[in-house]
Amino acid sequence: MTGALTAFSTRRQQTMLVRGGLTRSEHDETSEALYMTSGYVYDTAEEVAAAFAEENPRYIYSRYGNPTVSMFEERLRLLEGAEACRATASGMAAVYAALVAMLEAGNRVVASRALFGSCHHIVANILPKFGIETRFVDGTDLDQWRDGLKGGARAVFLETPSNPTLEIIDLPAVCALAHEAGALVIVDNVFASPLLQKPLELGADIVVYSATKHIDGQGRCLGGAVLGPSKFVDGPLFAFLKHTGPALSPFNAWLLLKGLETLDLRVGRHCANARDVALWLETRNGVRRTLYPHLDSHPQAALAQEQMVDGGSIVSFELDGGRPHAFRFLNALGLIDISNNLGDSKSLITHPATTTHSKLPEADRHRLGITEGLVRLHVGLEDVRDVKDDLAQALAVWSAG
Ligand SMILES: *Cc1c(COP(=O)(O)O)cnc(C)c1O
């Protein structure tokens, strides 16, 4: 079943996004039912004993599973073309669970340096406390991957495109090197979304999401998911989740199910708007460089175009004049909101050096190109002409200063 659905047929994909995983109750409701319940009841003591003996698969407790959460997991699983999916309370819960369920003391992890701040913290500070050796490499440099993987590793963890400089990691090449070294590859696919990049088809073993971003897409709730082989996802990962408790709330699962129904429409518009803004920014005075994966000016444009269906919702750009000028520009914006979040229907902008990446050592920020003039813009679903008008008036304030 999953084989047929991994083909990039938009019609099938869109149909899955609307109907995948739907299981109706005896009331025959049209829309997915919201099961706000923590527990479940049994007719007999024998029935509950059989459930606990795992003789009779059924819902036992919502930390283990819930019908609304299951519908979300199944819809996302079909979209990703994965064998199995488990949802979590947030993206970070998904990342942490995927790593910890796979690793034990003495294992090695090799990760790309350009990670989301909290992901970097887990790899740099939390895993080593438990006797796991971790190593960072420049994700765009295959020699560094080769070198980092010498002597073997249990897991490779990476994000592409990266936040905020939108570097692209060559997934087939890195997955091949990782597999040679005996490592499983975990990809944080948040920036691309499940629609624009299919890591499992490019060789990855596990995909993780913050569903908070484009999957909800409307700034309403947190959520996350881990997808991959059933042996791992329904085995050690599920055991870790069920006993440690980062369960997705049924209400949030319901929001995310409804988010998936419009994901394709929204992501398509986000990409069109972001490309339009990126091309426009390239022509503006005072904008030193513009980064957008599908632009010809992107340092890895060919790889980005091969690996991703479209460029995504994020445009990063560097303003002349460093932090004071970047702050004056942000403060002059009237429509675009200053926010460290992304993936929302609203356009959001942030200054990574003082927010999302402020905890990174200065040397790492420098190495990643996160300068004091760099800003990260998530282009929303407003009329793109209004977004550009707002950027233009803020650039005018900026250059008058
Ligand atoms: C937001 C984000 C996360 C964390 O997700 P939460 O839902 O906020 O916990 C992880 N990775 C990337 C790339 C993100 O953008």
Side-chain angles (χ1 to χ4, degrees):
M1 183 172 175
T2 52
L5 297 169
T6 54
F8 240 59
S9 151
T10 44
R11 183 162 150 257
R12 288 188 168 180
Q13 182 161 273
Q14 181 53 31
T15 305
M16 281 184 308
L17 284 168
V18 174
R19 292 178 174 268
L22 171 62
T23 48
R24 293 196 165 118
S25 79
E26 72 274 24
H27 302 302
D28 296 325
E29 63 281 353
T30 310
S31 175
E32 294 72 10
L34 171 49
Y35 292 89
M36 287 302 293
T37 184
S38 48
Y40 305 85
V41 298
Y42 309 82
D43 286 335
T44 63
E46 285 79 6
E47 199 183 329
V48 60
F52 273 77
E54 294 178 22
E55 285 160 11
N56 167 27
R58 52 157 290 162
Y59 293 104
I60 293 176
Y61 189 52
S62 284
R63 170 151 50 75
Y64 300 11
N66 170 284
T68 309
V69 175
S70 298
M71 284 191 264
F72 168 63
E73 290 169 336
E74 180 60 7
R75 189 166 292 178
L76 190 58
R77 186 190 75 75
L78 291 168
L79 173 60
E80 196 70 43
E83 258 177 48
C85 173
R86 293 283 171 179
T88 56
S90 70
M92 287 323 304
V95 169
Y96 187 63
L99 285 165
V100 172
M102 183 182 293
L103 297 166
E104 52 189 54
N107 285 166
R108 286 178 77 217
V109 177
V110 182
S112 59
R113 191 173 287 112
L115 291 179
F116 181 74
S118 296
C119 296
H120 191 276
H121 180 80
I122 289 174
V123 175
N125 304 317
I126 298 181
L127 296 180
K129 288 204 305 182
F130 302 106
I132 293 156
E133 187 196 333
T134 64
R135 182 155 175 191
F136 287 106
V137 297
D138 173 347
T140 62
D141 183 344
L142 291 177
D143 286 334
Q144 287 199 25
W145 282 109
R146 255 179 227 112
D147 196 45
L149 287 162
K150 260 191 205 131
R154 174 76 180 129
V156 156
F157 179 54
L158 61 88
E159 179 187 324
T160 180
S162 71
N163 176 17
T165 49
L166 305 169
E167 285 178 3
I168 310 293
I169 295 177
D170 186 335
L171 284 173
V174 172
C175 292
L177 291 172
H179 291 155
E180 262 169 48
L184 293 172
V185 180
I186 306 173
V187 175
D188 179 339
N189 202 36
V190 168
F191 267 48
S193 89
L195 291 172
L196 302 182
Q197 179 169 269
K198 302 282 188 192
L200 298 179
E201 292 181 1
L202 297 169
D205 302 284
I206 316 282
V207 179
V208 291
Y209 286 107
S210 165
T212 316
K213 309 295 165 53
H214 306 86
I215 294 176
D216 170 47
Q218 289 146 89
R220 303 170 297 190
C221 72
L222 300 180
V226 182
L227 298 111
S230 175
K231 189 166 174 279
F232 173 69
V233 172
D234 296 327
L237 178 86
F238 179 51
F240 179 83
L241 293 175
K242 147 176 154 174
H243 296 300
T244 61
L248 180 63
S249 129
F251 182 70
N252 291 355
W254 182 81
L255 290 173
L256 297 171
L257 265 166
K258 298 321 246 178
L260 283 175
E261 290 182 0
T262 57
L263 183 69
D264 185 60
L265 298 171
R266 289 183 292 102
V267 167
R269 179 62 68 85
H270 279 299
C271 291
N273 285 357
R275 170 191 297 276
D276 188 331
V277 166
L279 285 168
W280 177 84
L281 280 168
E282 283 196 317
T283 67
R284 310 314 290 179
N285 285 333
V287 178
R288 194 178 287 179
R289 61 180 180 138
T290 303
L291 295 165
Y292 185 68
H294 268 217
L295 287 194
D296 291 336
S297 59
H298 189 282
Q300 300 161 284
L303 179 59
Q305 286 166 18
E306 208 173 288
Q307 201 160 280
M308 296 170 67
V309 174
D310 208 335
S313 66
I314 316 282
V315 183
S316 292
F317 53 101
E318 190 174 352
L319 295 163
D320 287 330
R323 187 189 299 193
H325 284 66
F327 275 22
R328 187 160 60 231
F329 169 75
L330 257 63
N331 294 342
L333 291 165
L335 175 79
I336 300 166
D337 290 307
I338 299 175
S339 171
N340 48 284
N341 199 8
L342 59 95
D344 201 290
S345 47
K346 296 180 174 61
S347 291
L348 305 174
I349 197 162
T350 194
H351 182 249
T354 53
T355 59
T356 51
H357 292 71
S358 60
K359 303 285 192 307
L360 265 192
E362 163 101 50
D364 280 353
R365 264 207 304 279
H366 183 74
R367 214 168 353 193
L368 293 171
I370 306 171
T371 61
E372 292 288 328
L374 188 80
V375 295
R376 183 195 78 191
L377 171 65
H378 158 75
V379 183
L381 302 178
E382 301 95 343
D383 188 314
V384 71
R385 290 169 297 186
D386 289 328
V387 174
K388 286 188 290 186
D389 283 353
D390 195 32
L391 292 167
Q393 67 77 24
L395 280 170
V397 171
W398 168 88
S399 58

